[in-house]
Structures are given as C-alpha cells and as structure tokens.
C-alpha cells in the first residue's frame, strides 16, 4: 500500500505473496544480498532468509529448469532474469519444458519468470530488448506486462498464484518514473491475468498497446484531443492469452485500429493483434489496421539512433491523425 | 575430490568373465527382485520390438539392450520417496520405480489409456507420486529440473535424493553443465548417472569429449566422481547406494560413470553401419542379464529353475499388460485441444471463428 | 461504429466495395448488400454499376 | 540434376556448393559417417573429408557459435540441427550473436542453419515443431522454407551464397514424398531469397502459405476447382524478409486472403502476413483476412490427436469455400 | 592432465610483497612496452571515469582496476595474427591488440566516429584486421565463437591461436561448457583465460562454483589447466606464452586461471555493499601497476623517471584521443535503420506506409 513507484509495487507484491504463502520463493542472479540489478528484490533476503531468496550462478537455463523442478514439487518460484535479454539463454527450458509439461502429462508449472525489458535508456542491443514475440507462438505460457504500479502489483500477485508458467515483463524505464507514482490499496488485491484495460475511453480511434508505450499512447491521445480527436487507448496488460473481447469491442466501437509496440515492427506481436482485428472486427473497420513498432533493427545505443529506432509520441500522433482522417 | 574407481572396473577393457565385483548387503530376496526388474526390462523391450514389427508401435523403439543393468541397478538404490529423471534408454529405472509395463505399452502404441493419453511418446511422461519426473527430448534439460526438485525438497524438509540419468552425449550440453554446477554449489543430493555406452547416436565418445573417463568431469564441479562397471548390476547398485548415502547425509552431488555399451542402434531404424562388428561381439559376451544369472546360480543364490520361474511369471504378466494396452482405444481427436493450461476446460481458439456464422 | 458520421447507423460494407462505390459515386445507403447479414460487398457495387449503366441509355433516349 | 526427391535436391545443392567454393563446410551432430539423421549429408564425408564435414558433440549453442566464428573468418558454414526443435538450444546464439553482428560492427555472418521441421509423422511434441515465429521479430536473420525439390536446391544454394545468416527449414514430411519427385536442371541455378512464388494462379481467393502446407493448399484448390472456385496459392518460400509485393499483388487481385501455416495459429507468422494485408491491401479486401493454423497446443503424438491438431485439406476447403462466399 | 600451479602463486593468499615470480625472456624494450599498455589501461579507465562524472559517457563504466595485469600480460603473449575475444574488463587486452584509445572514448560517448558508429557500447565492437572479435553481453557466448574462428583458421591453414576471456561467473554458462568442450575435442589452439576476480556482479565465487580453483575445470575437458597470479604481469605473460606455444604446436586447448580481484563495483553505480572493507584494503596493496613499477625499478630495468616519462607520454596521447572523440558528432538518427543486412542500402520497412499517401 501507500504511494509507490512501479518497482516498489512489484517488490511489495512479491513480498506479500512470500508472506502469505511459504511456497513462494525467489531465485536468480544477485537477487539476495544485492537485491537484484534493479533492486526489485531489495530487502527480501534479510526478512525471508537465504533459503527463500536464492542467488544463483550465471546460468539462465539452470534458473528456469530449477524453477520448473521446484514448481513440480508444489513450490511457487519467482525467477529473475537480470535483464530480460538473457531469457534467450533460458528459451529452450521455457518453450520445451515449462510450456509443455501440463499438456504432456498433466503436471502444472506454477512459476513466474520476470525481468526488466525495454529500451529508451541507452543500454544498447543486449540490455534493451522486448522479447514477447519469441513466446507468442508457444501455447502453455502466459505473458504479462504492466504499465503502472497498481497493475504491476496486482498482476505479479496474480502471476504468482497462477497455476501455469507466467512470463512477467517489467519495462525498466517505468521502475522509478516519478510520473507513475501512485497510491495503491493497503488491502490484498490482484489484477486478473487475461484482462486488458481501457486506459482511456474514446470514440474516434483505438490505440492498442502495452507496457511503457501506454504512456506514449496517452501522451499522443492528449495531444490529439486538442485537435478534437477522441482516442481510445487499450492497455493489454496480458499479452498471452490476449483479451480478444476487449480489443474487439474497442475496434468495433471506433472502427479504426492503431497497434503500437516497442519491439521491431516486423514479427512483433502487433501482427497477431492485427490478424485478430482483420478477421473478427473486419466488418466494423473503416480504415486499414495500422501498426507502429521500432525500426526492424537491433536496439542501437547512441541516443539519436535509439530515439529514431523507437516509436515516439510524434510518430503516434502523426499516424493517428492520418488514420482518423482516412 | 579425485575420481574413485569402484573396484574391478576397467571398461571398455572389462574382463568378460567378471561377475559382480562387490560385497553386497542385499538379501536374497532383494537380489531376486533385482533380477526381476532386469529381466522385466529386457522382456518389455523385446515385446516392444515385437509390436513394432507388427506396426503397432507408433514411431521408434529405443533399446537399452546390453545396458539394462545400469538403469535397474542404480535406481534400485533409491528409497520410495526419492526421485528419478530417466532418459529413453532408462526403461529399467522407470520399471524399477514401479511404473507398470501397461503404461509403457500404451505409450508406445499412442493409446488413450497411456499416462500421457497419447500426447507424448515412450517414457516421456511422469508420475509425481512414484517420484518419476518425465523427461523431454532435449538432452541435458533434466539436470537443472532435478536440481529444482531437490531445492524444493530441501525447503519442504524432505530428506530425499534424486538420480538424473545422462548419456555420454548429453553431457556435452550446456544445460547439463549449468544444472550440475548449480546442484554442486547448493550441495544438493543429486546423483548424476552418466551412462557411458560409447555412442551418442552415431558419434563415438572421443568425438564427444576429450576426457578419458566421464567421471573426470566431476572435478569441474567440485564433487566426487565414481566409475562403475555398468554391466554389473550389483556393482551399479552398491556404488549408487554409497552415493545415495553420501548425498542424503548432506555430502552434496555425486557423478557416477557407468561404463557400458549400446548394443543396438540409436533406434530400430539405425543400421549401425558405423559400429565395428567385433565390438558388438565383445559386448554380447558381457551381457548383463547373462552375467547376473551366472552370478546368482554360481553363488548359490538361486537355481536356474527359480530364475526360469521368474521369467515365466514376467512373460505371463506381459501378456496381460499388452492385452490391456491393446484394448485401449486411441484418443478422441478433440482431446488434442485441451489441457494446455490448468483452466482449459474449453479448448483454446484456433480456427477462424468469423466463418462459422 | 460508423462509417464516418458519428451516431448514424453503421452500413456494413467491405473496404473494396466502399472504395468502388465512392469512385462510382454510388450512395451506399441506397443499396442492399448480398453478403452475410446484408453486408455490401464488391459484387453488389458491380451489380449497381451494371444496373446504372443499363439504366443510363434509357434515360438518354 | 535428374529426377530427384526433396532430400536429394538439398543434398545436391550442398554438394555443389562445397565443390564450387572451398569455404563451404558442413557441421552438426552425426552429419559425417552417419550422413545426418535424415541422410541429408549422406556421402559428403567420403568425398570432402572429415575436415569439411564435422561431427560435433551434442552442443547446439556451440554449433551455432562455431559456425558464426568460422563465418567471421570468411568461411561459409552449413550447420545442421538434427531436428529443428533443437534450435531452441541455439536460440541465444542466433538471435544475439548471429543476427546482430553486422549491425553492431559491420561483420557479416554468411552462415546457413538448417534442419528438419514440421509435424505429421507422429514424432511427438519435440520432433515436430515449426519454429519460424521464434525468429520473425529478429532483424538480421533470414528464413527460408521450400516446398519442392527445385526450390529446395535453388534456395539452399542461394542461402549458402548469402552474405547474412539464413535459417533454412526443411519439412521432414517432404524429404522422400514420391509426389514431389521432380526433374531439376543439370546446370547451376539458384532461387533468389526474398521471392515468393505463385504456385497456382486464381482469381477468387488467395491462399498464402509455405512448406508442406503448400500441398494442402493445392489439394484444397483442386477440390474447390470442381465447385467452380478459382483459387490462387502463394508459396512464400522466404519467410523473412517476406515478399510483400507478391502477397499484396495477389490479395489485391482476389480481394480475399486465407493464410495457412502448420504452427499453432496464435502467434504464428500468419499474424504478420495478416497485418501486412490489413494495412496495405485493405482497400482491396472484400472479406475478413482469415488464418488457419494448428491448434494452440504442443504437437500431440497419437495419430488422431495430431490429425486434429494440424490443418487438414478439409479445413482449408471448408474455410475457403465460406470465405469465397462471404 | 593435472592442474599445474605456476610457481609462487597462491591467491587469494598471494604474498603482497611478491613481485614477478618467473624467469622471463622478455627484452627490456618489451618489458617497457608491457608497462606502457598496463599504465595505458589504467589511465584510459581513469579518463573514462572522469568523462562519466562529466556526464559525457552514455551508460556505465566497468572498471578493471586491480586486474589490468591479467588482460595485458596474457594478450601480450600473442602474435599479431592471433585473435582475442575480450570481455568488458579486458580493455587492457583490446589496447594491447592495437586498438587506439580514441575508439574506446568514442564508443563510450556513443559517437558516430566510434567503431560501432554508436550502435553498441564500450568494447562491444570488433576489428578483424587486428584479430579482435567483438563480444556480446551474453556471457559465455564467445567461447563457441572463438572455437569457430580457430576451426576456420585450421581449414585455412593459418597457424594462429586465440585467447577467449571468461569470468568466474561466465564459466557457469552453458555456452562456456559447450564451446570449450568442442574446442578440446577438436584440439583447437584456444587459450581460455579465466579471470578469477572473486566476484560476478555481487556474487562471490563460492556461490558460483564448488571448485577450489577455476583451473580445476580443465579436467572436465581433458585439457591442461594453469593457475597464475593475475596481478603479476610477467607471470601472466610467461604462463600464457607457454600455453600459446603448446597450443600452436598442436597441443590443443588450455585453461589458465588468473587469480586477481575486482577492486571496483560491477560498474560505477555499484556501491559494493557486499564487499568487506579489509578485502579491498588487502588487494589495494597488491595493485598490479605498483607491483610492476617496483619490479622494474628494483630490478634496475627502468628508473622511476623513465616510467614517469612513459606515463606523461600516455597522458598527452590521451588528451589528443579524448579531444578527437569529443569532436566527433553523434550519429545521424536515420543511420539507425541501415545495415542490418549486407544489402540494406535501403532501410527496412518499419513505419505504416499506407498512411503516407
Ligand atoms: C539438445 C539435443 N540435441 C540433439 C538431440 C538429438 N538426439 C537424440 S538422442 C541423441 C544421442 C544421445 O546420445 P547419449 O546422450 O550418449 O545417449 P544414448 O542415446 O547413448 O543413451 C541425439 C543427438 C537431442 N535429443 N537433444
Ligand atoms: C548470460 C548472461 N547472464 C547474465 C548477465 C548479466 N551480467 C553481466 S556481467 C555479470 C557478472 C559477470 O561476472 P564474471 O563473469 O565473473 O565477470 P567480471 O564482471 O567479474 O569480470 C552478469 C551476471 C550476462 N551478461 N550474461
Ligand atoms: Mg511472432
Ligand atoms: Mg551414449
Ligand atoms: Mg568475476
């Protein structure tokens, strides 16, 4: 509870779940004494002890594998990737072991795999990636990416309680963003996995997005409001499974869809969303389904390059304006 | 920690005549039970080949012919609460853990009554109650998973140990390394049984690793390494028992190399053209079932007739088990879409709904 | 959910039909679609164009 | 040259490139004496020797990494995954090292990574996957999947000559399919990467697909022809980068698009294609953009389950018929 | 192969007074060149910290303070045609390989004239001409890559060797294992220098591995392992030279453990709260630059004044290099979209074209 930052909300969520349920434990690189590279697990080891806050070797496959093994035994592991970019080293374990276990022999893996994602902090090609598209085609996994402290806390708690493996992405730009500081309830609450949120209501056009780009979309919407355009912003929150109903309802209302994500445009999960709309909201469309993503390149390091690479408010404003006028 | 060579073992130069090199505390009953599982493994596989030739098996059959003693002997050293993660060639361990042959037959025939209900093949299923974690194909992956099983057990104050099996080939994977290293750091009671059967598919061990003994790899993890004659079932049992006791009492992980040999191809379709004939002949003489039978009879532990009775009992049992599995229907097609998630009573969306109006 | 004018009843029309109608100066509200649920699709516009072409000479008479 | 199977065409392509260019070599598990699990590299070791046909330990990350290192040195490695499912173990190396090297410091990786993909042979969850969606969002990689011997040979040769990393997927059901036996030219030829093929011309509806599903589509088209429907089938051949022009031209002609792939529907590359169409061919659309894929599950093993899981000719016929009538 | 402890080395209990434990065949000139690179590394990093404090560096600065002798001494044993794959803390190796400080400054300031033109950071670039393969962040990945470099070189009949650097942390990765194992099987001339600096980010070595010495891991690959005092630049050079000679003459891969210490945090932002003060004080006394200066002066190889002259020369050089880097523009934004593929003169499509009409 209290007025919290994004990072503090996640920390609280993990803390409360550990307190509530002794099966919950934390595992990852430097999550103990150091409290994690971004201090998401700060203080946990002092309170819960090193048996429940486990520092590992630099071994992402082992972290994922061990979390799976522990989950099979009924524990509720919360595994951290120091940067989500390193999930690539645990990719096999996630897609082949974690995702398929229940289907193959009914053994659920109630584990959370979390870490900082996203660009915009000049961290270069290996500390800036958005990895959701890697997993979008792997049934058995769930994916979550919150955009504000309230959701972050509610979703991390829901993820920990979820009976299946959940990938939980935290945009590192949001961790300490003053703008996001927010009062959250003292009482226990969760935000249901699988439910998108209408971040802003509008009638002229739907921007469908998630994570840090929700802020880009809201800023663009505000700018466009001054031009008399009434923009709806959908914050997906859960990326897999997508909340089809909320997406479709919004597009059926506005008849114009702009999909926005931070990963490169080609092959990003925007395609899945566009496909959904072009199939199931087709008759309500008044204009092409438009996607905005980053350039089809790795994330460059130097500020001017990175700015060009990433979708900016002006890109969204420009595209939305044209799309509304289409 | 230096690699410890368990007495009398020198494979691939194993003395053919050698029968059981270790003093054992096993009772006669236990020794006959060991024989039961050993022979059961051999006969289940023979039955599978049989079904395969009748086109009743879907997919391949992966034999452990000649190396059954390793899986059975090592697994027999576990207590009921302990865990295993076997590989395709560890049917013996699966049976020793109490999985019934019917489950195996149903799996191989892709039947609805099989433990994966036709979703996965051969021993790719698990049974948490019996301490059997189902493997996946990707070699090495089970080592980290078993590390997690034991990490959990420690948190749950369970005093269990686990065996993870790995091949000479599988030890080259990154997952093996990451998992065993983590287990060693955490001093978890993980026994890794390295089945040195001289081939990984067609690849001989010297193309897989530059070490002389697979047990030499223990030094890289700061854990003890043992070498045992994998075709000597009692030696496998005793060595593992020792490792199990060590691990259970807090000593941490152990690597056991079992020197043995894969007498069949990688699977039934593999013609083994890369294998010298003499090698096969040599290892035929070292057959672990024959060896154990010689041991039991020559030491006066059992008579030939008693062993034959056990065999007859197994054969009868297998007839019933096969009949049961054969009587199972194939799964209902629509089941394919269920149970990806815990809450997937409803199958996930996957067909274009919009056209259904 | 409108094709432009807010508040008006939506006309269900496929994009290509909408474009063809606009190009041919056909008022969609005068048409009844042959697609599912009365949706106006390409062939309805084609038919409308054909109909007006046949109607046109008679007017010129 | 000669009348060849799919597998023989690929083998010929590799062989000829090795003969033509001494920088080309083969690396992978059991590719030497054994000739590969599917015998794609059969005989190569006898002719080219063990220095150029390298059997490796079971180490996919090392296979990819070593191919990258050799490529940096000017060699032209052709690396095999025994089954494409094991590409998950080389995922990190492919997406982070191979894909980003040129962008980061101008160093190209002219390497080919190939292996058998696809389901339909009752090989279960770990020997049946289609992995293209894993890589669709990673700029720097190319992806190719042929559907017939002529293309297979022309594309493997083009892939080997390509200056950038190419993932080359071979559907295992096609390897020895009698129906695909085909006379191919004696002379050296390539099939350009990045170019789709109109596998069948038609006016009523476009089926956009690739790999083994091209056969499903063609069979469906034939069946529908008897009903008077004139179906166009686009065989993508290259999955990354997509041949946007060919896809768009077809849909602009037929106004109806049905996308078909063998991977699970959600998150498959069908989304990217649908997104492209819904954006750039929108005004030509007369009906929803429709996708057919496998069930959103792992690939089950038992024949009735697998058949249900996979798109069948009847599914395509049914959907195409409805879509044409829409 | 047993691990060979190169004389006089016993870190972390290294004798503080110890200066250069090995006989060396280096000429005076070479020894001064070594000093040049050692001091250059120290001063380039100090200059970077300086620029960092002025907010001119984009991102973090990762110091190798206290362990510079390892990178410089080992790399100095290579011939010009040989290759290295350094890690962030191996700036010394990069400089020794002939990369100019201007390249480093321009990289750290994300400038257009930097070797990656602002696309990647710090030493994340490469230079094929100088035998420098640019690393990526993902630890361990460079070991397989260097294996491939050497595999190619062998096919090209080049008699080169390569050094791949790895940390006590990075050795836990699967990629490290797969790469070194493959190099060992192929008997490739790969020298893996394991920089045992006692921490991986905040993680002490005993949480990373259960081995006593990182060199113990050599046994798991069937290759020789050496241990060397990483703060003794001559010992680093001599040990590596021996390994290089062994490798180049066909002996295969070698693992060298350099015992040293990371005196700064993981990066400038890290407050090192997990580090005991006494440890830092102890290792300050073992500073490799001081030690080498004491050695050079006490052995009569150089006078204090000569060393000061070298330092002055470096400082002057660095002023020019920094000035050059500072004078570079930032990259043009649109460059972000180019050169993903060889043929990408045209940037790839990424914005909604349909709206542009
Ligand atoms: C990561 C991975 N790569 C490749 C394969 C394909 N494959 C299946 S079994 C096998 C050989 C295994 O050899 P080994 O580990 O020695 O076990 P054995 O078959 O001898 O029991 C290979 C390469 C796999 N299963 N997993
Ligand atoms: C695969 C992978 N996981 C995590 C990280 C994040 N990370 C960067 S440096 C570091 C510690 C490295 O320690 P070590 O290998 O000992 O090198 P040192 O920093 O001590 O030189 C970690 C965990 C990484 N770069 N790669
Ligand atoms: Mg995708
Ligand atoms: Mg083997
Ligand atoms: Mg370190």
């Amino acid at each position: 509870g209290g007025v919290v930052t994004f990072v503090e909300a996640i920390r609280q969520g993990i803390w409360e779940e550990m307190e509530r349920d002794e099966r919950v434990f934390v595992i990852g690189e430097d999550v103990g004494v150091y409290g994690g590279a971004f201090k998401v697990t700060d203080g946990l080891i002092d309170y819960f002890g090193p048996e429940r806050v486990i520092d590992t070797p630099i071994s992402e496959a082992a972290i994922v594998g061990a979390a799976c093994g522990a989950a099979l035994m009924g524990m509720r592991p919360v595994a951290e990737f120091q940067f989500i970019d390193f999930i690539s080293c645990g990719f096999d374990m996630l897609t082949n072991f974690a995702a398929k276990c229940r289907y193959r022999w009914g053994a659920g893996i109630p584990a959370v795999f979390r870490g900082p994602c996203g660009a915009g902090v000049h961290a270069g090609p290996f500390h800036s990636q958005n990895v959701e598209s890697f997993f979008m085609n792997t049934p058995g996994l769930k994916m979550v990416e919150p955009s504000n402290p309230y959701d972050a806390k509610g979703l991390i708690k829901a993820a920990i309680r979820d009976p299946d493996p959940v990938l939980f992405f935290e945009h590192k730009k949001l961790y300490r963003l003053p703008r996001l500081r927010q009062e959250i309830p003292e009482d226990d609450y969760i935000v249901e996995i699988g439910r998108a949120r209408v971040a802003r209501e509008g009638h002229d056009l739907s921007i469908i997005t998630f994570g840090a780009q929700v802020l880009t979309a809201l800023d663009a919407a505000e700018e466009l409001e001054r031009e008399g355009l009434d923009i709806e912003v959908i914050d997906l929150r859960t990326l897999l499974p997508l909340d089809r109903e909320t997406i479709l309802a919004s597009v059926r209302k506005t008849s114009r869809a702009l999909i926005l994500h931070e990963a490169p445009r080609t092959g990003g999960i925007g395609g899945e969303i566009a496909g959904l709309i072009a199939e199931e909201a087709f008759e309500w469309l008044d204009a092409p389904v438009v996607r905005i993503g980053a350039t089809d390149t790795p994330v460059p390091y130097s500020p001017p390059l990175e700015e060009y690479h990433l979708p900016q408010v002006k890109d969204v404003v420009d595209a939305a304006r044209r799309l509304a006028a289409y | 920690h230096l690699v410890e060579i368990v007495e009398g073992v020198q494979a691939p130069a194993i003395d053919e005549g050698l029968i059981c090199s270790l003093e054992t505390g096993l009772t006669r009953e236990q020794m006959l039970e060991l024989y039961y599982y050993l022979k059961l493994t051999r006969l289940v596989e023979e039955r599978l080949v049989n079904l395969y030739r009748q086109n009743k098996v879907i997919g391949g059959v992966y034999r452990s012919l000649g190396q059954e003693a390793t899986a059975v002997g090592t697994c027999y050293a576990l207590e009921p609460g302990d865990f295993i993660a076997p590989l395709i060639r560890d049917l013996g361990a699966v049976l020793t853990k109490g999985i019934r042959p019917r489950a195996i037959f149903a799996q191989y025939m892709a039947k609805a009554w099989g433990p994966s209900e036709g979703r996965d093949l051969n021993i790719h299923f698990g049974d948490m109650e019996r301490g059997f974690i189902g493997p996946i194909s990707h070699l090495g992956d089970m080592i980290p998973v078993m590390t997690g099983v034991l990490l959990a057990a420690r948190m749950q104050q369970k005093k269990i140990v686990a065996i993870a099996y790995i091949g000479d080939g599988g030890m080259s994977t990154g997952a093996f390394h990451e998992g065993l290293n983590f287990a060693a750091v955490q001093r978890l009671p993980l026994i890794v049984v390295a089945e040195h059967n001289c081939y990984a598919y067609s690849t001989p061990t010297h193309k897989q690793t530059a070490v002389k003994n697979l047990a030499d790899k223990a030094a890289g993890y700061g854990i003890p390494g043992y070498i045992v004659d994998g075709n000597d079932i009692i030696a496998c049992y005793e060595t593992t028992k020792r490792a199990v006791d060590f691990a259970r009492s807090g000593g941490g992980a152990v690597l056991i190399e079992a020197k043995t040999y894969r007498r069949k191809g990688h699977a039934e379709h593999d013609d083994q053209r890369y294998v010298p004939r003499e090698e096969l002949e040599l290892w035929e003489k070292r057959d672990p079932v024959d060896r154990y039978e010689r041991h039991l009879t020559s030491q006066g532990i059992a008579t030939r007739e008693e062993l034959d009775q056990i065999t007859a009992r197994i054969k009868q049992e297998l007839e019933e088990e096969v009949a049961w599995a054969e009587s199972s229907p194939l799964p209902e097609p629509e089941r394919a879409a269920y149970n990806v998630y815990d809450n997937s009573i409803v199958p996930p969306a996957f067909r274009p709904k919009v056209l259904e109006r | 959910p409108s094709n432009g004018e807010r508040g008006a009843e939506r006309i269900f029309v496929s994009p290509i039909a909408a474009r063809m109608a606009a190009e041919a100066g056909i008022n969609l509200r005068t048409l009844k679609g042959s697609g599912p649920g009365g949706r106006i699709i390409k062939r309805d516009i084609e038919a409308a164009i054909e109909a007006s072409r046949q109607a046109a000479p008679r007017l010129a008479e």
Side-chain angles (χ1 to χ4, degrees), chain B residues 167-169 195 197-200:
Chain B
D168 39 282
E195 298 174 280
N197 65 0
C198 303
Y199 289 93

Side-chain angles (χ1 to χ4, degrees), chain A residues 153-169:
Chain A
K153 182 170 175 181
L155 283 164
I156 190 75
K157 288 167 72 97
I160 292 170
R161 296 181 200 179
D162 198 275
D164 285 301
V166 180
L167 312 186
F168 191 90
F169 306 132

Side-chain angles (χ1 to χ4, degrees), chain A residues 137-159:
Chain A
N137 200 212
T138 298
L141 299 178
K142 298 182 179 180
M143 288 195 283
V144 167
E145 183 165 342
S147 72
N148 60 61
Y150 179 90
D151 285 352
K153 182 170 175 181
L155 283 164
I156 190 75
K157 288 167 72 97

Side-chain angles (χ1 to χ4, degrees), chain B residues 37-53:
Chain B
Y37 285 122
L38 184 66
K39 196 68 188 272
L40 179 66
T41 305
R42 172 72 50 95
L43 293 178
V44 167
E45 287 191 1
E46 286 182 359
R47 203 69 181 77
L48 282 171
V49 171
N50 210 257
L51 292 164
Y52 177 82
R53 300 225 169 100

Side-chain angles (χ1 to χ4, degrees), chain A residues 43-125:
Chain A
L44 290 178
I45 196 168
D46 302 325
Y47 191 80
F48 296 104
E51 274 254 316
R52 292 181 69 195
V53 185
I54 300 168
D55 278 323
T56 67
I58 303 179
S59 303
E60 283 78 11
I63 293 169
V64 177
C68 290
L72 283 174
M73 294 291 280
M75 301 299 287
R76 300 260 161 178
V78 180
E80 172 170 304
F81 296 101
Q82 196 154 84
F83 283 80
I84 209 68
D85 307 66
F86 304 122
I87 205 170
S88 56
C89 302
F91 180 81
D92 168 53
M93 280 284 179
L94 286 167
T95 57
N96 286 311
F97 194 86
K100 297 180 174 49
C101 222
R102 181 185 298 283
Y103 187 72
R104 293 171 47 242
W105 54 285
I109 309 265
V112 176
F113 303 93
R114 47 161 293 279
C117 71
V121 299
H122 320 316

Side-chain angles (χ1 to χ4, degrees), chain B residues 50-66:
Chain B
N50 210 257
L51 292 164
Y52 177 82
R53 300 225 169 100
Q54 296 172 58
N55 281 322
K56 288 183 177 165
V57 163
I58 314 289
V61 172
Y62 300 80
R63 294 293 305 270
S64 66
L65 181 71

Side-chain angles (χ1 to χ4, degrees), chain A residues 183-261:
Chain A
E183 169 111 42
I184 60 173
E186 290 297 328
D187 291 345
D188 179 48
Y189 71 94
I190 65 152
V191 171
E192 208 184 323
I193 291 179
R195 295 271 166 267
R197 176 178 77 95
V198 180
R200 180 194 162 109
E201 276 201 66
H203 282 86
D204 294 332
L205 184 151
S206 304
I207 301 181
I208 298 147
T209 189
F210 59 95
Q213 292 301 320
V214 171
L215 300 181
T216 312
L218 291 173
D219 289 350
E222 204 164 307
E223 202 169 317
L224 289 161
E225 187 181 301
R226 291 195 286 273
E227 303 178 13
L229 278 172
D230 185 20
I231 308 290
E232 178 141 313
V233 176
I234 302 296
D235 176 358
L236 291 170
R237 302 197 294 198
T238 294
L239 312 182
L240 187 66
L242 284 171
D243 181 351
R244 304 158 56 92
E245 282 64 42
T246 302
I247 296 168
L248 292 171
S250 176
V251 176
R252 285 176 184 151
K253 179 174 73 173
T254 65
S255 293
R256 284 160 211 266
L258 190 160
I259 300 154
L260 169 65
H261 59 57

